[in-house]
Amino acid sequence: MTPIEIAEKLCTLCQVCVKKCPFDALSMQDGKIVVNEKCTACGICVRTCPEKAMSLRNLPKKAIAKDLKDYKGVWVFIEHSDCKIASVSFELLGEGRKLADKLGVELSAVLLGDATERMAAESASYGADTVLVMNDPLLKNYRTQPYLAGIVQLVQKYKPEIFLFGATTMGRDLAGAVATKLRTGLTADCTALDIEEQTKFLKQTRPAFGGNIMATILTKNHRPQMATVRPRVMKAPLKDAGKKAAIINETIVVSAELLPTMIVDFILQAEQNAPLEDAQIIVSGGKGMGSAKNFDMLHAFASAIGGTVAGSRKASEAGWISAAMQVGQTGHTVRPRIYFACGISGAIQHVVGMQTSDIIIAINKDPHAPIFSVANYGIVGDVLNIIPQMTKIFNEGSGNNESH
Amino acid sequence: MIFFLMALLLHIDIVSTAIDSQYCSEKVTIVHIVVCLKQVPDTTEVKIDRKTNTLIREGVPSIANPFDLNAVEAALVLKEKYGATVTVISMGPPQAKEALRRAIAMGADQAILLSDRSFAGADTLATSYTLAQAILKLQDAGGVDLVLCGKQAIDGDTAQVGPGIATRLNLTQLTYVSKIESVDADGKHITVERKLENGVEIVRGNLPALLTVVKEIYKPRYASLPCLIESLAYEPVVWNAKQISADSSQIGLEGSPTWVETIFSPPLREGGVILNPGDENYDKEFSGLIDTVKKIVAEERSKLVCS
Amino acid sequence: MNRIEFDVVVVGAGPAGITAAYLLAKEGLKVALIERGEFPGAKNVMGGQFYSYPMRDIIPEFWEAAPLERAVSEKQLWLLSRESKIGFSYKNPQFGAPPYNAFTVLRAKFDRWYAEKARQAGVVIIPETLVTGIIKKGTQVIGVKTGRENGEIYADVVVAADGVNSLLSKYAGLHGEIESRNVALAVKEIIELPQGVIEDRFQLEKGQGVTIEFMGEFLKGMVGTGFIYTNKTTLSVGIGCLLSDWVDNGVSPYDLIEDLKSHPVVRPLLQKGTVKEYLAHLIPEGGYRSLPPLYTDGMLVTGDAAMLVNGLHQEGSNLAIMSGKFAAETILEARKAGDYSARTLGAYKKKLDESFVIKDLKKYSNAMPLLENNRHFFSTYPRLLSDAADEFIRVDGVPKKKKQRMILKGIFKRRGIIGIIKDALSAWRIVK
């Protein structure tokens, strides 16, 4: 059985579907359109078939429809290290709150660890109605196996309908294992979540194909509906220290001898060694910088704001930055929170490597430079004046802008 | 004369056995490594048709998922060290043989393509089932010590299939591995470095294990010319659903709980405020911009400080 | 380790190389085709006109299966002044039907398809491999070295089809660095537009296309042309000028394309299009006088590597295919004779000489030097012509007779009667 049904009577073999399939999953063989293993049932062929000859096969109704109703509530996995909750977990509590309100159900924080009291209270102050806690020395540091066992134990007992994780190394490591154990659907790296009004399904929207397309995905017949959510996409709610939550303590049933891994050591990464893809603030220079010496300005600015210096292909070819720090089609694709494009004209080859940055600030003499058409802020002026000016502002202000 | 030759041959035989056993006694810890590899469209080449919101795939080459090639390289390094056999498996249509040949050119010993129309429509859950069934079959045929995957595929970016396989086969799950430090002499443990957001974690895990690797682990080698030419004629073994004893309710569309509801293209990025030093509101807009930057800078700084 | 041996090694999977490899494999020879790109076509950016002849002799009715963009049924030449144009056009609907005259193609797709045909015929295509040297025994080329480990590969004969600035020819000592006046730098952008919009805008029948060449002031006095080719859902827009001119004038190719694109009569053709790609490529346009030696003991040189390009008519891939075909024929003859020395391989040059390939190049052999020394063809005359047309067409109360006098006066003022006569003679010499 293939996911796509083709009404052969209607099919004119025009092969529009073959061309439109993003996954290379359709081909013409022996005078017929055939669907191969690469098909993801995305339905693009169904939508683009000019003859309306294609349809998606209905999902098998095997899933236990009556059981779905037993699953209630929205859960958020609280990620932490060194007793500090990851900011993505707060963002998820904010998003989970909205979903729970739309469904009229409770929002629960799921907290596994050792000595978790303070973090439980903090989860409450960010909006959780309930905090499910598992305290055990085995859970002190994150490891896949005990966390997997603990979470599965909780899900089987309390049956949430939605379960959200941060799309971090920890969240992805855990969610992938949990969803497999529970044999349920998991959508990775979501950037938007919503509830479908009639069916109450969780609408999970995520980028695919290196950000070229977005897909909205549903888990119709399995529960919980699981998703990992990209950090810094959702907004964290304001903290309300007065808000309290019901704390439910559970004991994990797992024995230490059975654990397959042991953490030997952890080496905290020095800031300046962070690879370009992970940099959250990037100061990037192009041909307009004029010389290697002028790049010193960018380094000074970057160190004032805790940024990483990168450059365009022109800058890399001129030897002003190393090839490892080149952004664009032939270099790295970056997605920082702020991208400063200094003296970069904005050739498409460069833009494809940085267009998904949260904020793009472009500085260029030429008011017609294409970079301005993708920049959130465009400063028309000489980068060699503006950068030192900004560096000065930040160096002066560094004392009093740290408080929050 | 003949006797002499026989003696000589025998001698050679003995010598080579001696070398083998010496090699073995020290290092036979990892015997069989399986690498999972996916053929993907080169997403850096994909363009969007803005009118119909679909991808323009015409002319976009299919390539071996780059992270999976890092995994192949890691397997080959272990092969050189421990004399292990490297098997590469992939789920896909016959065209995916091309990606498997690439691994063969690099030095993998054998390649298996899991190909069956009924695998179509699989999400990560069904994919991990299919791959796990194939690995089970290899396990039955003589054991698998290590399964290696790339950290994620560049077309889906889910990073879910690796953990899925580990969970199904009860393998020790070690994701985002940037370095394999050592394998214990008894062949029971492996120590690796995991690359996390804020540092590197060193973990010792039981074997058999499943590792997903990041690109820092090893750069895929450039195949030698004889290996490359040999790989061009290599025919991977093909297994269908029946040959991996797949349960039809767990593969393809039927085995996939997730359902693609819609696909659309992301909104075009648009230009924002243009600040011109000559303009009246320049100073005001400039200081607004500085405030925005300050806020983010402060947030980023606070992340680095451990409370 | 066993030596890697083939009957023939072809270096470069473009039209010349694929043709030679395909034809030889069809005759049962063991052929290796080495390509530096990830796949054949990956490194190819040719302007996009592809003539039906002689491809149709090699794969009959190739248009049924090959990925082609549009059948070119119209050619236009536009002379641009700063704000206006004079256009010439030849349209023949017969060109839009089999056997066709020319197509627009995107070479990345076309070469891939053509190479697949060769692979099916038995050619071993070795991708992502750079040839780093040749192997010689005495004066005889007996193989090539590649950048891969254990990368030597031996053959009875080597075909160099590795494009402009052929490394193989250099390794074999057939020529040194190419002079920048013998090569043109072409830059182009691929601009995306819906299929229907292209057909409406350029008044095309479905599936048919037009090529437009531009000359005029936007070239800033350089020897070259601009162009727009219509593909299925894209336009190729670009400029090709002598490399020496780019260098001497210090003009940025990117800026020049922008100038062309924003020209008042060109802009409407491109409206609402989005730039998909920007590409640059060298084209050997030195013509007959720049031809390097085309063969040596154990090696033949084909296509762009042999500088077989007719710059004036913008023919290149057809000459490449022709040369690939002749190379294959020559190699089969040499195989029969069991001799791959220059003496036998010389038949290749003879075949080229007797065909339209060299005959055409010879005919235009004076063109490049003349055009190079007389830049009026690319800037002054388009300007003069458009001024004349403007004067003649504009109704402003000046009597027509007076207008004619003014036009002639204007022309002679800017070029002088002697100059014009000289130019006319040159032009005649080019095309005679």
Side-chain angles (χ1 to χ4, degrees), chain A residues 101-381:
Chain A
D101 290 347
K102 277 186 192 163
L103 290 164
V105 297
E106 276 199 350
L107 172 68
S108 305
V110 178
L111 183 55
L112 280 70
D114 192 19
T116 53
E117 293 75 13
R118 200 180 53 79
M119 290 191 287
E122 208 176 357
S123 303
S125 67
Y126 279 93
D129 302 312
T130 309
V131 185
L132 285 158
V133 179
M134 266 187 174
N135 257 320
D136 194 296
L138 280 178
L139 300 170
K140 184 168 189 297
N141 292 310
Y142 172 77
R143 279 180 294 167
T144 316
Q145 185 56 40
Y147 269 64
L148 168 64
I151 296 268
V152 167
Q153 193 186 320
L154 291 174
V155 170
Q156 284 172 345
K157 181 164 177 185
Y158 293 101
K159 298 188 185 333
E161 61 193 300
I162 291 172
F163 199 170
L164 308 177
F165 297 73
T168 55
T169 52
M170 187 192 295
R172 286 177 175 225
D173 183 90
L174 180 59
V178 170
T180 308
K181 203 67 158 184
L182 297 170
R183 302 286 191 269
T184 190
L186 169 61
T187 306
D189 208 20
C190 295
T191 53
L193 297 172
D194 202 357
I195 301 292
E196 201 175 80
E197 246 170 57
Q198 294 187 340
T199 57
K200 305 291 177 203
F201 289 144
L202 177 64
K203 285 163 74 177
Q204 307 159 102
T205 299
R206 68 179 304 259
F209 267 83
N212 286 302
I213 51 171
M214 308 291 288
T216 301
I217 291 167
L218 307 179
T219 298
K220 289 184 175 172
N221 299 328
H222 298 71
R223 292 293 176 274
Q225 304 162 80
M226 289 180 57
T228 61
V229 178
R230 184 178 292 181
R232 292 187 309 278
V233 172
M234 314 292 184
K235 237 178 122 185
L238 289 172
K239 188 172 177 175
D240 174 4
K243 192 168 180 311
K244 295 281 176 281
I247 309 281
I248 301 174
N249 281 294
E250 286 287 331
T251 313
I252 187 168
V253 189
V254 66
S255 83
E257 306 87 75
L258 293 176
L259 294 184
T261 59
M262 185 183 84
I263 297 169
V264 181
D265 199 1
F266 183 78
I267 306 154
L268 194 69
Q269 191 137 29
E271 185 190 337
Q272 56 268 43
N273 294 340
L276 194 53
E277 281 102 330
D278 299 343
Q280 295 304 332
I281 300 174
I282 292 177
V283 179
S284 190
K287 199 174 87 178
M289 291 307 297
S291 71
K293 201 173 155 286
N294 288 340
F295 256 70
D296 291 348
M297 260 177 223
L298 299 185
H299 286 283
F301 180 52
S303 78
I305 60 171
T308 306
V309 176
S312 67
R313 197 176 84 166
K314 294 246 174 67
S316 149
E317 278 173 357
W320 302 340
I321 48 140
S322 74
M325 300 312 261
Q326 182 192 320
V327 172
Q329 196 171 324
T330 49
H332 294 279
T333 300
V334 296
R335 186 183 287 147
R337 297 187 66 187
I338 315 183
Y339 187 90
F340 287 93
C342 308
I344 292 176
S345 63
I348 40 164
Q349 288 83 352
H350 185 76
V351 170
V352 295
M354 46 67 91
Q355 62 187 352
T356 51
S357 306
D358 291 355
I359 297 177
I360 296 171
I361 300 172
I363 307 167
N364 205 303
K365 262 193 264 193
D366 175 8
H368 303 296
I371 192 77
F372 288 130
S373 63
V374 297
N376 302 69
Y377 297 94
I379 305 177
V380 182

Side-chain angles (χ1 to χ4, degrees), chain B residues 243-262:
Chain B
Q243 284 165 308
I244 56 169
S245 322
D247 164 6
S248 67
S249 71
Q250 295 203 57
I251 56 172
L253 187 68
E254 207 176 336
S256 300
T258 60
W259 182 254
V260 182
E261 186 71 358
T262 49

Side-chain angles (χ1 to χ4, degrees), chain B residues 77-155:
Chain B
V77 170
L78 292 172
K79 169 183 167 162
E80 280 154 13
K81 217 161 166 181
Y82 302 107
T85 304
V86 176
T87 303
V88 184
I89 63 173
S90 181
M91 182 182 100
Q95 302 93 285
K97 286 180 185 171
E98 213 49 53
L100 287 171
R101 284 195 189 104
R102 201 177 169 101
I104 295 290
M106 286 168 68
D109 298 288
Q110 59 168 337
I112 299 166
L113 180 70
L114 312 176
S115 195
D116 195 312
R117 295 263 169 78
S118 63
F119 295 151
D123 71 359
T124 55
L125 193 74
T127 304
S128 73
Y129 172 78
T130 309
L131 291 167
Q133 284 301 112
I135 297 168
L136 263 180
K137 179 165 172 167
L138 290 168
Q139 268 178 343
D140 290 346
V144 171
D145 306 282
L146 203 56
V147 178
L148 298 179
C149 305
K151 73 160 180 170
Q152 63 199 44
I154 58 166
D155 59 342

